[in-house]
Amino acid sequence: MSSDFEGYEQDFAVLTAEITNRIGKVPKLLGDEKKQMVSNVEKQLEEAKELLEQMELEVREIPPQSRGMYSSRMRSYKQEMGKLEADFKRSRIAYSDEVRNELLGDDGNSSEIQRAHLLDNTERLERSSRRLEAGYQIAVETDTFHWAVTHLLQYFLTSQPSPHIQHHSYSSLTLSVFMKLYYFRLK
């Protein structure tokens, strides 16, 4: 049984070497050649998975005292398979980026155009931020003025000792309010 396992191991080693070689070529190819290579790598990855399944079946049939060594080999083969799939996925993403650039007509000048757009948008954002800050400052000043007028009125209404002084107080309150208004406008 271990001879079957070792045969599968040799087949797996040859197949993974081929897959690795082809994965390295995928980003360098163009058009139909690249599509064909991607298709071939997908088929070989499926073959490698089937080999791993066969190897697992062989490990299950090995006596328990010898199974530990083969199980550790299987774990390393599965890790290698995961690495191959990840590498293939990365090479396909590079393939996708290339196709996207080809379709969108990305010829390298787009980064300069994007940088110009980014600078324009940044300047627009800064202008808007300054306007917002100025609006906030006006809102704070208005709120402060409102607070001052409200407290002056409250003070005036609660501190009136007699009705005959009321006319004089209204004029001094008006004067006080206008002075506060003038003071806030100077700020």
Side-chain angles (χ1 to χ4, degrees), residues 78-171:
K78 286 179 182 179
Q79 287 175 348
E80 186 175 351
M81 187 67 188
K83 182 183 174 297
L84 284 173
E85 289 174 335
D87 289 346
F88 180 59
K89 187 175 183 180
R90 277 192 294 267
S91 73
R92 288 189 72 178
I93 290 172
Y95 169 72
S96 299
D97 286 346
E98 204 170 271
V99 168
R100 182 186 61 81
N101 291 342
E102 188 177 303
L103 288 173
L104 295 175
D106 188 14
D107 58 358
N109 292 334
S110 67
S111 64
E112 293 173 18
I113 294 169
Q114 289 174 347
R115 179 174 282 146
H117 284 298
L118 183 61
L119 288 173
D120 289 343
N121 290 337
T122 303
E123 289 173 9
R124 190 175 309 144
L125 182 63
E126 288 174 359
R127 283 193 306 268
S128 297
S129 295
R130 284 192 296 266
R131 276 191 247 133
L132 281 172
E133 288 174 12
Y136 177 74
Q137 185 63 34
I138 289 171
V140 167
E141 289 175 5
T142 303
D143 187 49
T144 305
F145 179 72
H146 175 262
W147 181 85
V149 169
T150 303
H151 280 81
L152 283 171
L153 283 172
Q154 186 179 13
Y155 173 76
F156 172 72
L157 293 174
T158 58
S159 66
Q160 288 298 322
S162 66
H164 59 65
I165 304 177
Q166 192 171 6
H167 180 66
H168 175 68
S169 296
Y170 276 124
S171 63

